[in-house]
Amino acid sequence: MPNLRFLRGYNDAVVLGLARSGAVTRVDLAERSGLTPQAVSKVVGRLIGEGLLVESGTRNVGVGKPRTLLKLVADSRLALGAQVERDELRVVLTDLAGDVLDRAVAPLPPDFDPPTFVAELTRLVNGMRDDKLLGVGLGFVGPLDHRTGVIHDATGLVKWHDVPLRELAEDSLALPVVLDKDTNTAIVAEAWRRGEQLRDAVLVLVGTGLGVGLLLDGQVYRGARTNAGEFGHTTIQLDGPPCVCGRTGCIEAVHNLAARSGDLAGATSIVGLAVADLVQLLDVDHVVLAGRAVLAEPEAYLAGVRAKLPTDDWLPVEVEVTPLGDDVVAAGAAMLVLSEFYGRPR
């Protein structure tokens, strides 16, 4: 992704990241960032000058002069994020706090090609443009390369082979673009929402496909080729139905067959079995469920997953449906842009 050139360095990103969690004082920032009070003072002065922070009241600390509170000016910069399903494009506008301010949704034609997609993306983005925009994040169907911005062979989209989507989108939009798998942007959104409470988690996205986003030790895990999370294309039934990926008996194919036949209990049980394997393999303590299938029957999917998880008292696993609803992938894509802006204060 091109350098956004809004911050002078890591220290600016650290201070902004801490301010995102709520009103803070200069002393708070120094203690929590490890920066010297002098460095914090310089950074804060610069960020106030750029309209990113504002002084907002005071806090009494006992004896001595009250400390001035600093607050993030959330609407001083904006980001757009997009979710690309096999049949739909959703674009959301977020502020620096990651709150969704606006959204637009449009259908995509069957087996759409790159020019059709870029034209529709450009149309929606142009309707939400603002001079405060930092860039656009795209959460797309994998496999893809997050680093180079290339879609390699998007499962179920036959016209998407080695497509340099980031480059095409930047040329059309004249904005910085960051590309990642939809499951990864979704787990980014949850990590922003939960902060340090969420360190080892999986987000299971059940939409037109089935995949997972992995948060391990507080970091999104993408793998050696940034293609981790193709969980829907692991085998769960050796003599199972054919899958769009070319294999047979994949979790996605078995789940979708049950769902199409009206067997909700079977579909949710399959997801539960698959998630239980993930929990056993990775030792995560949080599972977040998302995607249109889950949102249509949230209680059934929650019950299906919980019924298959370990019951040992010392292996608690929290299971929830994302509160971000249909926006989780697109909002996470926008937050990915904001993450580039904030840097990596962890």
Side-chain angles (χ1 to χ4, degrees):
M1 182 177 181
N3 185 354
L4 294 173
R5 302 185 187 280
F6 284 98
L7 302 181
R8 291 199 177 185
Y10 180 77
N11 291 353
D12 296 47
V14 169
V15 169
L16 273 182
L18 292 172
R20 182 168 59 84
S21 64
V24 290
T25 68
R26 289 170 175 82
V27 173
D28 295 332
L29 292 172
E31 291 175 348
R32 293 166 61 185
S33 68
L35 299 173
T36 66
Q38 294 82 1
V40 166
S41 181
K42 288 181 180 179
V43 171
V44 167
R46 185 160 59 243
L47 295 178
I48 288 176
E50 294 176 359
L52 297 166
L53 290 180
V54 65
E55 293 185 342
S56 176
T58 59
R59 176 192 297 163
N60 291 322
V61 290
V63 179
K65 182 180 178 181
R67 294 175 183 170
T68 300
L69 291 168
L70 300 162
K71 187 174 72 171
L72 180 72
V73 183
D75 63 357
S76 62
R77 303 290 189 275
L78 305 172
L80 286 169
Q83 177 185 13
V84 188
E85 273 276 24
R86 295 180 179 92
D87 58 0
E88 182 182 89
L89 171 62
R90 173 180 294 264
V91 178
V92 303
L93 179 70
T94 72
D95 62 16
L96 274 183
D99 293 328
V100 175
L101 307 178
D102 196 7
R103 64 180 57 80
V105 182
L108 291 170
D111 198 22
F112 61 91
D113 59 12
T116 300
F117 168 73
V118 172
E120 191 62 16
L121 174 68
T122 302
R123 185 182 72 83
L124 293 189
V125 168
N126 285 343
M128 305 172 77
R129 277 187 182 271
D130 190 288
D131 58 8
K132 300 175 185 177
L133 274 179
L134 295 172
V136 180
L138 302 178
F140 208 93
V141 179
L144 56 79
D145 191 323
H146 166 65
R147 296 165 298 194
T148 64
V150 173
I151 306 290
H152 284 307
D153 285 290
T155 306
L157 295 173
V158 299
K159 296 175 183 176
W160 290 78
H161 173 70
D162 290 345
V163 175
L165 180 58
R166 186 177 68 198
E167 179 182 339
L168 294 174
E170 286 182 342
D171 288 345
S172 181
L173 300 173
L175 288 166
V177 173
V178 61
L179 172 71
D180 209 344
K181 291 173 62 172
D182 50 6
T183 49
N184 288 341
T185 67
I187 196 68
V188 165
E190 289 299 320
W192 269 60
R193 183 177 69 86
R194 297 287 290 268
E196 289 298 321
Q197 299 174 26
L198 198 72
R199 295 199 60 81
D200 294 281
V202 295
L203 181 138
V204 184
L205 186 67
V206 191
T208 57
L210 193 156
V212 298
L214 306 171
L215 189 75
L216 304 179
D217 196 25
Q219 302 292 330
V220 177
Y221 180 76
R222 294 183 173 88
R225 290 165 292 274
T226 75
N227 198 43
E230 291 293 309
F231 187 58
H233 301 294
T234 54
T235 303
I236 196 171
Q237 183 180 337
L238 291 177
D239 59 348
C243 184
V244 292
C245 73
R247 303 172 67 186
T248 59
C250 293
I251 296 167
E252 178 179 308
V254 178
H255 167 270
N256 288 355
L257 180 62
R260 284 194 301 268
S261 66
D263 182 7
L264 180 60
T268 59
S269 179
I270 290 159
V271 173
L273 283 170
V275 171
D277 286 344
L278 268 182
V279 169
Q280 296 281 29
L281 179 67
L282 300 175
D283 191 26
V284 296
D285 57 7
H286 285 82
V287 174
V288 183
L289 305 178
R292 63 175 64 166
V294 169
L295 296 176
E297 296 286 352
E299 294 304 320
Y301 277 90
L302 280 172
V305 171
R306 287 170 175 161
K308 301 297 182 182
L309 291 177
T311 57
D312 307 80
D313 291 339
W314 62 279
L315 288 173
V317 180
E318 181 179 334
V319 185
E320 64 176 323
V321 173
T322 177
L324 294 171
D326 291 324
D327 290 334
V328 64
V329 171
M335 293 170 195
L336 200 60
V337 174
L338 299 179
S339 295
E340 297 283 341
F341 179 71
Y342 283 121
R344 300 177 66 83
R346 288 184 191 275

